[in-house]
Amino acid sequence: MDKGQTFEDRLRAVSLRVTRPRVAVLSAVSAHPHADADTVIGAARAELGSVSKQAVYDVLAALVDAKLVRRIEPSGSPARFETRVGDNHHHVVCRNCGDIADVDCAIGEAPCLHASNSHGFSIDEAEVIYWGMCPDCATKKLLN
């Protein structure tokens, strides 16, 4: 996806009708990478004045289906959303505070897509989550 495109252009490119809630939700996810739905709802409401939770959930589902937004679901965390799509990147999650950061594939072209046994599946994506402690939490732990 071209970073120079407007949110409206991105919606049109995937044949989605441009609506104020869709633009607000796409803008919110773009501004808050790895945000949960409640954060997206709050940001969309700040922009629009009012929008129902259900409308935001419906927009998020449509954006995920259109591959404009990626949904990730780290264990023990609500679903998170990001606009970085189509590059098979991974994530690192802090076990203490839940902070999430992107991690690019380490070597070559999508090396994680080569499963040792596909069991007959046609694999088109791999999702890897690294778990650990973020620098802030590690520093706090050392100070305590």
Side-chain angles (χ1 to χ4, degrees), residues 16-107:
L16 285 178
R17 195 166 51 92
V18 175
T19 64
R20 290 184 66 227
R22 284 181 178 162
V23 172
V25 170
L26 192 52
S27 173
V29 174
S30 181
H32 305 282
H34 311 120
D36 61 13
D38 287 339
T39 301
V40 175
I41 290 165
R45 284 180 175 164
E47 186 172 327
L48 297 174
S50 73
V51 64
S52 72
K53 275 185 155 185
Q54 189 59 53
V56 172
Y57 281 112
D58 291 347
V59 169
L60 284 169
L63 295 176
V64 169
D65 287 346
K67 298 189 182 344
L68 287 177
V69 167
R70 181 177 177 192
R71 176 187 173 119
I72 62 170
E73 299 181 58
S75 179
S77 172
R80 306 296 183 105
F81 301 90
E82 64 182 347
T83 56
R84 184 175 171 186
V85 296
D87 68 349
N88 195 51
H89 71 281
H90 308 301
H91 298 93
V92 60
V93 179
C94 179
R95 289 185 186 280
N96 192 49
C97 70
D99 190 30
I100 300 173
D102 292 334
V103 176
D104 292 325
C105 282
I107 302 170

Coordinates of all heavy atoms in Angstrom, one line a residue, residues 16-107:
L16 N -14.2 -0.3 -1.4 CA -15.0 0.0 -0.2 C -15.5 1.5 -0.4 O -14.7 2.4 -0.7 CB -14.3 -0.1 1.1 CG -14.0 -1.5 1.6 CD1 -13.2 -1.5 2.9 CD2 -15.3 -2.3 1.8
R17 N -16.8 1.6 -0.1 CA -17.4 3.0 -0.1 C -16.7 3.8 1.0 O -16.4 3.4 2.1 CB -18.9 2.9 0.1 CG -19.7 4.1 -0.2 CD -21.1 3.8 -0.3 NE -21.6 3.1 0.9 CZ -22.2 3.7 1.9 NH1 -22.3 5.0 2.0 NH2 -22.6 3.0 3.0
V18 N -16.4 5.1 0.6 CA -15.8 6.0 1.6 C -16.9 6.6 2.5 O -17.8 7.2 2.0 CB -15.1 7.2 0.9 CG1 -14.5 8.2 1.9 CG2 -13.9 6.6 0.0
T19 N -16.8 6.3 3.8 CA -17.7 6.8 4.8 C -16.9 7.5 5.9 O -15.7 7.1 6.1 CB -18.6 5.7 5.4 OG1 -17.8 4.8 6.1 CG2 -19.4 5.0 4.3
R20 N -17.5 8.4 6.6 CA -16.8 9.0 7.7 C -16.4 8.0 8.8 O -15.2 8.1 9.2 CB -17.7 10.1 8.3 CG -17.9 11.3 7.4 CD -18.7 12.4 8.0 NE -18.0 13.0 9.1 CZ -18.5 13.3 10.3 NH1 -19.7 13.1 10.6 NH2 -17.7 13.8 11.3
P21 N -17.2 7.0 9.2 CA -16.7 6.0 10.1 C -15.5 5.2 9.6 O -14.6 4.9 10.4 CB -18.0 5.2 10.4 CG -19.1 6.0 10.1 CD -18.7 6.9 9.0
R22 N -15.6 4.8 8.4 CA -14.4 4.0 7.8 C -13.2 4.9 7.8 O -12.1 4.4 8.2 CB -14.8 3.6 6.4 CG -15.7 2.4 6.4 CD -16.0 1.9 5.0 NE -16.9 0.7 5.1 CZ -17.6 0.3 4.0 NH1 -17.6 0.9 2.9 NH2 -18.4 -0.7 4.2
V23 N -13.3 6.1 7.4 CA -12.1 7.0 7.4 C -11.6 7.2 8.8 O -10.4 7.1 9.1 CB -12.4 8.3 6.7 CG1 -11.2 9.3 6.9 CG2 -12.7 8.1 5.2
A24 N -12.5 7.4 9.8 CA -12.1 7.7 11.1 C -11.4 6.4 11.8 O -10.4 6.6 12.5 CB -13.3 8.1 12.0
V25 N -12.0 5.3 11.5 CA -11.4 4.0 12.0 C -10.0 3.7 11.4 O -9.1 3.4 12.1 CB -12.4 2.8 11.9 CG1 -11.7 1.5 12.2 CG2 -13.6 3.0 12.8
L26 N -9.9 3.9 10.1 CA -8.6 3.7 9.4 C -7.6 4.7 9.9 O -6.4 4.3 10.2 CB -8.8 3.8 7.9 CG -7.7 3.3 7.0 CD1 -7.2 1.9 7.4 CD2 -8.1 3.4 5.6
S27 N -8.0 5.9 10.1 CA -7.1 6.9 10.7 C -6.7 6.6 12.1 O -5.5 6.7 12.5 CB -7.8 8.3 10.7 OG -7.1 9.2 11.3
A28 N -7.6 6.1 12.9 CA -7.3 5.7 14.3 C -6.3 4.6 14.4 O -5.4 4.6 15.1 CB -8.6 5.4 15.0
V29 N -6.5 3.5 13.5 CA -5.6 2.4 13.5 C -4.3 2.8 13.0 O -3.2 2.4 13.6 CB -6.2 1.2 12.7 CG1 -5.2 0.1 12.6 CG2 -7.5 0.7 13.3
S30 N -4.2 3.7 12.1 CA -3.0 4.2 11.5 C -2.2 5.0 12.6 O -1.0 4.9 12.7 CB -3.2 5.0 10.3 OG -2.0 5.5 9.8
A31 N -2.9 5.8 13.4 CA -2.3 6.6 14.4 C -1.9 5.9 15.6 O -1.0 6.3 16.4 CB -3.2 7.8 14.7
H32 N -2.6 4.7 15.9 CA -2.3 3.9 17.1 C -2.0 2.5 16.7 O -2.9 1.6 16.9 CB -3.5 4.0 18.0 CG -4.0 5.4 18.3 ND1 -3.3 6.2 19.3 CD2 -5.0 6.2 17.8 CE1 -3.9 7.3 19.4 NE2 -4.9 7.4 18.5
P33 N -0.8 2.2 16.2 CA -0.5 0.8 15.8 C -0.7 -0.1 17.0 O -0.3 0.2 18.1 CB 0.9 0.9 15.3 CG 1.2 2.3 15.0 CD 0.3 3.1 15.9
H34 N -1.2 -1.3 16.8 CA -1.4 -2.3 17.8 C -2.5 -1.9 18.8 O -2.5 -2.5 19.9 CB -0.1 -2.7 18.4 CG 1.0 -3.0 17.5 ND1 2.1 -2.3 17.5 CD2 1.1 -3.9 16.4 CE1 2.9 -2.8 16.5 NE2 2.3 -3.7 15.8
A35 N -3.4 -1.0 18.4 CA -4.5 -0.6 19.3 C -5.5 -1.7 19.4 O -5.8 -2.4 18.5 CB -5.1 0.7 18.8
D36 N -6.1 -1.8 20.6 CA -7.3 -2.6 20.8 C -8.5 -1.9 20.3 O -8.5 -0.7 20.0 CB -7.4 -3.2 22.2 CG -7.6 -2.0 23.2 OD1 -7.9 -0.9 22.8 OD2 -7.5 -2.3 24.4
A37 N -9.7 -2.6 20.2 CA -10.9 -2.0 19.7 C -11.3 -0.8 20.5 O -11.8 0.2 20.0 CB -12.0 -3.0 19.6
D38 N -11.2 -0.9 21.9 CA -11.6 0.2 22.7 C -10.8 1.5 22.4 O -11.4 2.6 22.4 CB -11.5 -0.1 24.2 CG -12.6 -1.1 24.7 OD1 -13.6 -1.2 24.0 OD2 -12.3 -1.8 25.7
T39 N -9.5 1.4 22.2 CA -8.7 2.5 21.8 C -9.2 3.1 20.5 O -9.3 4.3 20.3 CB -7.2 2.1 21.7 OG1 -6.8 1.6 23.0 CG2 -6.4 3.3 21.4
V40 N -9.5 2.2 19.5 CA -9.9 2.6 18.2 C -11.3 3.3 18.3 O -11.5 4.4 17.7 CB -10.0 1.5 17.2 CG1 -10.7 1.9 15.9 CG2 -8.6 0.9 17.0
I41 N -12.2 2.8 19.2 CA -13.5 3.4 19.4 C -13.3 4.8 20.0 O -13.9 5.8 19.5 CB -14.4 2.5 20.3 CG1 -14.8 1.3 19.6 CG2 -15.6 3.3 20.8 CD1 -15.3 0.2 20.5
G42 N -12.4 5.0 21.0 CA -12.2 6.3 21.6 C -11.7 7.3 20.6 O -12.1 8.4 20.5
A43 N -10.7 6.9 19.7 CA -10.1 7.8 18.7 C -11.2 8.1 17.7 O -11.2 9.3 17.2 CB -8.9 7.1 18.1
A44 N -12.0 7.2 17.2 CA -13.0 7.4 16.2 C -14.1 8.4 16.8 O -14.5 9.3 16.1 CB -13.7 6.1 15.8
R45 N -14.4 8.2 18.1 CA -15.4 9.1 18.7 C -14.8 10.5 18.8 O -15.6 11.5 18.7 CB -15.9 8.5 20.0 CG -16.8 7.4 19.9 CD -17.3 6.8 21.2 NE -18.3 5.8 21.0 CZ -18.6 4.9 22.0 NH1 -18.1 5.0 23.2 NH2 -19.6 4.0 21.7
A46 N -13.6 10.6 19.1 CA -12.9 11.9 19.2 C -13.0 12.7 17.9 O -13.1 13.9 17.9 CB -11.5 11.8 19.7
E47 N -12.9 11.9 16.8 CA -12.9 12.5 15.5 C -14.3 12.8 15.0 O -14.6 13.8 14.4 CB -12.2 11.6 14.5 CG -12.0 12.2 13.1 CD -11.2 11.4 12.2 OE1 -10.2 10.8 12.7 OE2 -11.4 11.5 11.0
L48 N -15.2 11.9 15.3 CA -16.6 12.0 14.7 C -17.6 12.6 15.7 O -18.7 13.0 15.2 CB -17.1 10.6 14.3 CG -16.3 9.9 13.2 CD1 -16.9 8.5 13.0 CD2 -16.4 10.7 11.9
G49 N -17.3 12.6 16.9 CA -18.3 13.1 17.9 C -19.0 11.9 18.5 O -19.1 11.7 19.7
S50 N -19.6 11.1 17.7 CA -20.3 9.9 18.2 C -20.3 8.8 17.1 O -20.4 9.1 15.9 CB -21.7 10.2 18.7 OG -22.5 10.4 17.5
V51 N -20.1 7.6 17.5 CA -20.2 6.4 16.6 C -20.4 5.3 17.6 O -19.8 5.2 18.7 CB -18.9 6.3 15.8 CG1 -17.7 6.0 16.6 CG2 -19.1 5.2 14.7
S52 N -21.2 4.3 17.2 CA -21.5 3.2 18.1 C -20.4 2.2 18.1 O -19.6 2.1 17.1 CB -22.8 2.5 17.6 OG -22.6 1.8 16.4
K53 N -20.3 1.5 19.2 CA -19.3 0.4 19.3 C -19.4 -0.6 18.1 O -18.5 -1.0 17.5 CB -19.4 -0.4 20.6 CG -18.7 0.2 21.7 CD -18.8 -0.7 22.9 CE -17.6 -0.5 23.9 NZ -17.6 -1.4 25.0
Q54 N -20.7 -0.9 17.9 CA -21.0 -1.9 16.8 C -20.5 -1.4 15.5 O -20.0 -2.2 14.6 CB -22.5 -2.3 16.8 CG -22.8 -3.5 15.8 CD -22.0 -4.7 16.2 OE1 -22.1 -5.1 17.4 NE2 -21.3 -5.3 15.3
A55 N -20.7 -0.1 15.2 CA -20.3 0.4 13.9 C -18.8 0.3 13.8 O -18.3 -0.1 12.7 CB -20.7 1.9 13.8
V56 N -18.0 0.6 14.8 CA -16.6 0.5 14.8 C -16.2 -1.0 14.6 O -15.3 -1.3 13.8 CB -15.9 1.1 16.0 CG1 -14.4 0.8 16.1 CG2 -16.2 2.6 16.1
Y57 N -16.8 -1.9 15.3 CA -16.5 -3.3 15.1 C -16.8 -3.8 13.7 O -16.0 -4.5 13.1 CB -17.3 -4.2 16.1 CG -16.7 -4.2 17.5 CD1 -17.3 -3.7 18.5 CD2 -15.5 -4.9 17.7 CE1 -16.8 -3.7 19.8 CE2 -14.9 -4.9 19.0 CZ -15.6 -4.3 20.0 OH -15.1 -4.4 21.3
D58 N -17.9 -3.3 13.1 CA -18.2 -3.6 11.7 C -17.2 -3.1 10.7 O -16.8 -3.7 9.8 CB -19.6 -3.1 11.4 CG -20.7 -3.9 12.1 OD1 -20.5 -4.9 12.7 OD2 -21.9 -3.3 12.1
V59 N -16.8 -1.8 11.0 CA -15.8 -1.2 10.1 C -14.4 -2.0 10.2 O -13.8 -2.3 9.2 CB -15.6 0.3 10.4 CG1 -14.4 0.9 9.7 CG2 -16.8 1.1 10.0
L60 N -14.0 -2.3 11.5 CA -12.8 -3.1 11.6 C -12.8 -4.4 10.9 O -11.9 -4.8 10.2 CB -12.5 -3.3 13.1 CG -12.0 -2.1 13.9 CD1 -12.0 -2.4 15.4 CD2 -10.6 -1.8 13.5
A61 N -14.0 -5.1 11.0 CA -14.1 -6.4 10.2 C -14.0 -6.1 8.7 O -13.3 -6.9 8.0 CB -15.5 -7.0 10.6
A62 N -14.7 -5.1 8.2 CA -14.6 -4.8 6.8 C -13.2 -4.5 6.4 O -12.7 -4.9 5.3 CB -15.5 -3.7 6.4
L63 N -12.5 -3.7 7.2 CA -11.1 -3.3 6.8 C -10.1 -4.5 6.9 O -9.2 -4.6 6.1 CB -10.6 -2.2 7.8 CG -11.3 -0.9 7.7 CD1 -10.8 0.1 8.7 CD2 -11.2 -0.3 6.3
V64 N -10.4 -5.4 7.9 CA -9.6 -6.7 7.9 C -9.9 -7.5 6.7 O -8.9 -8.0 6.1 CB -9.8 -7.4 9.2 CG1 -9.2 -8.8 9.2 CG2 -9.3 -6.6 10.4
D65 N -11.1 -7.7 6.4 CA -11.5 -8.5 5.2 C -10.9 -7.9 3.9 O -10.5 -8.7 3.0 CB -13.0 -8.6 5.0 CG -13.7 -9.5 6.1 OD1 -13.0 -10.3 6.7 OD2 -14.9 -9.4 6.2
A66 N -10.8 -6.6 3.8 CA -10.3 -5.9 2.6 C -8.7 -5.9 2.7 O -8.1 -5.4 1.7 CB -10.8 -4.5 2.5
K67 N -8.1 -6.4 3.8 CA -6.7 -6.4 3.9 C -6.1 -5.0 4.0 O -4.9 -4.8 3.7 CB -6.0 -7.3 2.9 CG -6.5 -8.7 3.0 CD -5.6 -9.6 2.1 CE -6.0 -11.1 2.1 NZ -6.9 -11.6 3.0
L68 N -6.9 -4.0 4.5 CA -6.3 -2.7 4.8 C -5.8 -2.7 6.2 O -5.0 -1.8 6.5 CB -7.4 -1.6 4.6 CG -7.8 -1.3 3.2 CD1 -8.9 -0.3 3.2 CD2 -6.6 -0.8 2.4
V69 N -6.3 -3.5 7.0 CA -5.9 -3.6 8.4 C -5.7 -5.1 8.8 O -6.3 -6.0 8.3 CB -7.1 -3.0 9.3 CG1 -6.9 -3.4 10.8 CG2 -7.2 -1.5 9.1
R70 N -4.7 -5.3 9.6 CA -4.4 -6.6 10.1 C -4.8 -6.8 11.6 O -4.6 -5.9 12.4 CB -2.9 -6.9 10.0 CG -2.4 -8.3 10.4 CD -0.9 -8.4 10.2 NE -0.5 -9.7 10.7 CZ 0.8 -10.0 10.8 NH1 1.8 -9.1 10.5 NH2 1.2 -11.2 11.3
R71 N -5.4 -7.9 11.9 CA -5.8 -8.2 13.2 C -4.8 -9.2 13.8 O -4.6 -10.2 13.2 CB -7.2 -8.8 13.2 CG -7.7 -9.2 14.5 CD -9.1 -10.0 14.4 NE -9.5 -10.6 15.6 CZ -10.6 -10.2 16.2 NH1 -11.5 -9.4 15.7 NH2 -10.9 -10.8 17.4
I72 N -4.3 -8.9 15.0 CA -3.4 -9.8 15.7 C -4.0 -10.1 17.0 O -4.7 -9.3 17.6 CB -2.0 -9.3 15.8 CG1 -1.9 -8.0 16.6 CG2 -1.3 -9.1 14.4 CD1 -0.5 -7.6 17.0
E73 N -3.8 -11.3 17.5 CA -4.4 -11.8 18.8 C -3.4 -12.4 19.7 O -3.4 -13.7 19.8 CB -5.6 -12.7 18.5 CG -6.7 -12.0 17.7 CD -7.8 -12.9 17.4 OE1 -8.4 -13.4 18.4 OE2 -8.2 -13.1 16.2
P74 N -2.5 -11.6 20.3 CA -1.6 -12.2 21.3 C -2.4 -12.9 22.4 O -3.4 -12.4 22.9 CB -0.8 -11.0 21.8 CG -1.0 -9.9 20.8 CD -2.4 -10.2 20.2
S75 N -1.9 -14.0 22.9 CA -2.5 -14.8 23.9 C -2.7 -13.9 25.2 O -1.8 -13.2 25.6 CB -1.6 -16.0 24.3 OG -2.2 -16.7 25.3
G76 N -3.9 -13.9 25.7 CA -4.2 -13.2 27.0 C -4.4 -11.7 26.7 O -4.5 -10.9 27.7
S77 N -4.6 -11.3 25.5 CA -4.8 -9.9 25.1 C -6.0 -9.8 24.2 O -6.2 -10.7 23.4 CB -3.5 -9.4 24.4 OG -3.7 -8.1 23.9
P78 N -6.7 -8.7 24.2 CA -7.7 -8.5 23.2 C -7.1 -8.3 21.9 O -5.9 -8.1 21.7 CB -8.4 -7.2 23.7 CG -7.4 -6.5 24.5 CD -6.5 -7.5 25.1
A79 N -7.9 -8.5 20.8 CA -7.4 -8.4 19.5 C -6.8 -7.0 19.3 O -7.3 -6.0 19.9 CB -8.6 -8.6 18.5
R80 N -5.8 -6.9 18.5 CA -5.1 -5.6 18.2 C -5.2 -5.4 16.7 O -5.2 -6.4 16.0 CB -3.7 -5.6 18.7 CG -3.5 -6.0 20.2 CD -4.1 -4.9 21.1 NE -3.9 -5.2 22.5 CZ -3.0 -4.5 23.2 NH1 -2.3 -3.6 22.7 NH2 -2.9 -4.8 24.5
F81 N -5.1 -4.2 16.3 CA -5.2 -3.8 14.9 C -4.1 -2.9 14.5 O -3.6 -2.1 15.2 CB -6.5 -3.2 14.6 CG -7.7 -4.0 15.0 CD1 -8.2 -4.0 16.3 CD2 -8.3 -4.9 14.1 CE1 -9.3 -4.8 16.7 CE2 -9.3 -5.7 14.5 CZ -9.8 -5.7 15.8
E82 N -3.6 -3.1 13.2 CA -2.6 -2.3 12.6 C -2.8 -2.1 11.1 O -3.4 -3.0 10.5 CB -1.2 -2.9 12.9 CG -1.0 -4.3 12.3 CD 0.4 -4.9 12.6 OE1 1.3 -4.2 13.1 OE2 0.5 -6.1 12.3
T83 N -2.2 -1.1 10.6 CA -2.3 -0.9 9.1 C -1.1 -1.4 8.4 O -1.1 -1.3 7.2 CB -2.5 0.6 8.8 OG1 -1.4 1.4 9.4 CG2 -3.8 1.2 9.3
R84 N -0.1 -1.9 9.1 CA 1.0 -2.5 8.4 C 0.6 -3.9 7.9 O 0.5 -4.8 8.8 CB 2.2 -2.6 9.3 CG 3.5 -3.1 8.6 CD 4.7 -3.1 9.5 NE 5.8 -3.8 8.8 CZ 7.0 -4.0 9.3 NH1 7.2 -3.6 10.5 NH2 7.9 -4.7 8.7
V85 N 0.3 -4.1 6.7 CA -0.2 -5.3 6.1 C 0.7 -5.8 4.9 O 1.4 -5.0 4.3 CB -1.7 -5.2 5.7 CG1 -2.6 -4.8 6.8 CG2 -1.8 -4.1 4.6
G86 N 0.6 -7.1 4.6 CA 1.1 -7.6 3.4 C 2.6 -7.9 3.4 O 3.2 -8.2 2.4
D87 N 3.3 -7.7 4.6 CA 4.7 -7.9 4.5 C 5.2 -9.1 5.4 O 6.4 -9.3 5.6 CB 5.5 -6.6 4.9 CG 5.3 -6.2 6.3 OD1 4.4 -6.8 7.0 OD2 6.0 -5.3 6.8
N88 N 4.3 -9.8 6.0 CA 4.6 -11.0 6.8 C 5.6 -10.6 8.0 O 6.5 -11.4 8.3 CB 5.2 -12.1 6.0 CG 5.3 -13.4 6.8 OD1 4.2 -13.9 7.3 ND2 6.4 -14.1 6.8
H89 N 5.4 -9.5 8.6 CA 6.2 -9.1 9.8 C 5.6 -9.8 11.0 O 4.5 -10.3 11.0 CB 6.3 -7.6 10.0 CG 5.1 -7.0 10.4 ND1 4.0 -6.7 9.6 CD2 4.7 -6.6 11.7 CE1 3.0 -6.1 10.3 NE2 3.4 -6.0 11.5
H90 N 6.3 -9.8 12.1 CA 5.9 -10.4 13.3 C 5.9 -9.4 14.4 O 6.0 -8.2 14.2 CB 6.9 -11.6 13.6 CG 7.1 -12.5 12.5 ND1 6.0 -13.2 11.9 CD2 8.2 -12.9 11.8 CE1 6.5 -13.9 10.9 NE2 7.8 -13.7 10.8
H91 N 5.7 -9.9 15.7 CA 5.5 -9.0 16.8 C 6.3 -9.5 18.0 O 6.5 -10.7 18.2 CB 4.1 -8.8 17.2 CG 3.3 -8.2 16.0 ND1 2.6 -9.0 15.1 CD2 3.1 -6.9 15.7 CE1 2.1 -8.2 14.2 NE2 2.4 -6.9 14.5
V92 N 6.7 -8.6 18.9 CA 7.2 -8.9 20.2 C 6.3 -8.2 21.2 O 5.9 -7.1 21.0 CB 8.7 -8.4 20.3 CG1 8.8 -6.9 20.2 CG2 9.3 -8.9 21.7
V93 N 6.0 -9.0 22.3 CA 5.0 -8.6 23.3 C 5.7 -8.6 24.6 O 6.3 -9.6 25.0 CB 3.7 -9.4 23.3 CG1 2.7 -9.0 24.3 CG2 3.1 -9.5 21.9
C94 N 5.5 -7.5 25.4 CA 6.0 -7.5 26.8 C 5.0 -8.3 27.7 O 3.8 -8.0 27.7 CB 6.1 -6.1 27.3 SG 6.7 -6.0 29.0
R95 N 5.6 -9.3 28.4 CA 4.8 -10.1 29.3 C 4.2 -9.3 30.5 O 3.3 -9.6 31.1 CB 5.6 -11.2 29.8 CG 5.9 -12.3 28.9 CD 6.6 -13.4 29.6 NE 7.1 -14.4 28.6 CZ 6.3 -15.4 28.0 NH1 5.1 -15.4 28.3 NH2 6.9 -16.2 27.2
N96 N 4.9 -8.2 30.8 CA 4.5 -7.4 32.0 C 3.5 -6.3 31.6 O 2.4 -6.3 32.2 CB 5.8 -6.7 32.5 CG 5.5 -6.1 33.9 OD1 5.0 -6.8 34.8 ND2 5.9 -4.9 34.1
C97 N 3.7 -5.4 30.7 CA 2.8 -4.3 30.4 C 2.0 -4.5 29.1 O 1.0 -3.8 28.9 CB 3.6 -3.0 30.3 SG 4.6 -2.9 28.8
G98 N 2.3 -5.5 28.3 CA 1.5 -5.8 27.1 C 1.9 -5.0 25.9 O 1.3 -5.0 24.9
D99 N 3.0 -4.1 26.0 CA 3.4 -3.3 24.9 C 3.8 -4.3 23.7 O 4.3 -5.4 23.9 CB 4.6 -2.5 25.3 CG 5.0 -1.5 24.2 OD1 4.1 -1.0 23.5 OD2 6.2 -1.1 24.1
I100 N 3.5 -3.8 22.5 CA 3.7 -4.6 21.3 C 4.5 -3.8 20.3 O 4.3 -2.6 20.1 CB 2.4 -5.0 20.6 CG1 1.5 -5.9 21.6 CG2 2.7 -5.8 19.3 CD1 0.2 -6.2 21.1
A101 N 5.5 -4.4 19.7 CA 6.3 -3.8 18.7 C 6.5 -4.7 17.5 O 6.4 -6.0 17.6 CB 7.7 -3.5 19.2
D102 N 6.7 -4.2 16.3 CA 6.9 -4.9 15.1 C 8.3 -5.5 15.0 O 9.2 -4.9 15.5 CB 6.7 -4.1 13.8 CG 5.3 -3.6 13.7 OD1 4.3 -4.3 14.1 OD2 5.1 -2.5 13.0
V103 N 8.4 -6.7 14.4 CA 9.7 -7.4 14.2 C 9.7 -7.9 12.8 O 8.8 -8.6 12.4 CB 9.9 -8.6 15.2 CG1 11.2 -9.3 14.8 CG2 9.8 -8.2 16.6
D104 N 10.6 -7.4 12.0 CA 10.7 -7.8 10.6 C 11.3 -9.3 10.6 O 12.0 -9.7 11.5 CB 11.7 -6.9 9.8 CG 11.1 -5.5 9.6 OD1 9.9 -5.4 9.5 OD2 11.9 -4.6 9.6
C105 N 11.0 -10.0 9.5 CA 11.5 -11.3 9.3 C 13.1 -11.2 9.3 O 13.6 -10.2 8.7 CB 11.0 -12.0 8.0 SG 9.4 -12.7 8.2
A106 N 13.8 -12.1 9.9 CA 15.2 -11.9 10.1 C 16.0 -12.2 8.8 O 17.0 -11.5 8.5 CB 15.7 -12.8 11.2
I107 N 15.7 -13.2 8.0 CA 16.6 -13.6 6.9 C 15.8 -13.9 5.7 O 14.7 -14.5 5.7 CB 17.3 -14.9 7.3 CG1 18.2 -14.6 8.6 CG2 18.2 -15.3 6.2 CD1 18.8 -15.9 9.1

